[in-house]
Amino acid sequence: MKDQLFLMKPGFTNAGIGPFYCGDSVPVEGLLSFFPSLRAAVDVTYVDFPRPRRAIVDLVGEDHQSVPVLVLADNAAVPPSVEVRSANGRHFIDDERHIRTYLSERHDLPTAG
């Protein structure tokens, strides 16, 4: 299994207001744009705004369905500077800055300055 990255689909509405994009997904999407090889290294899934977000819930549970979230592969080596959480026997990162740090370090990419 590859690391699985979940981002919000842009153009969603909330309580009939919008369209919006997810401000926390944008920096991660930017990293994917800067380094297209990441798209081959990570499974990227775009989820809809309404909950439950079944694809995420199935992996890390109903309490952890915010985005962005990166569910780690079983063999993932995590740098000590990255905060990792666990649920349902899976490790995941749900902070966009930690996601970017992890992806940069795991895939030998430049890091944010």
Side-chain angles (χ1 to χ4, degrees):
M1 175 182 117
K2 293 181 185 179
D3 292 334
Q4 295 180 293
L5 176 63
F6 295 91
L7 299 171
M8 183 70 62
K9 287 181 186 175
F12 64 88
T13 59
N14 184 2
I17 303 170
F20 297 110
Y21 63 85
C22 174
D24 288 334
S25 291
V26 168
V28 180
E29 186 69 50
L31 186 68
L32 294 170
S33 295
F34 283 162
F35 305 103
S37 62
L38 280 177
R39 288 195 188 273
V42 176
D43 285 332
V44 181
T45 301
Y46 294 90
V47 296
D48 292 318
F49 180 76
R51 292 180 183 219
R53 298 176 184 135
R54 186 57 45 206
I56 300 171
V57 170
D58 289 347
L59 292 172
V60 294
E62 200 164 335
D63 292 339
H64 307 289
Q65 56 182 305
S66 62
V67 291
V69 63
L70 180 68
V71 180
L72 303 180
D74 293 336
N75 64 344
V78 180
S81 60
V82 174
E83 180 182 314
V84 175
R85 303 178 70 195
S86 297
N88 291 354
R90 299 273 189 191
H91 298 293
F92 64 96
I93 305 167
D94 60 358
D95 176 276
E96 62 88 6
R97 289 175 24 210
H98 287 263
I99 291 170
R100 290 185 292 116
T101 298
Y102 169 85
L103 290 172
S104 292
E105 291 190 25
R106 177 152 168 106
H107 299 283
D108 296 320
L109 302 172
T111 58

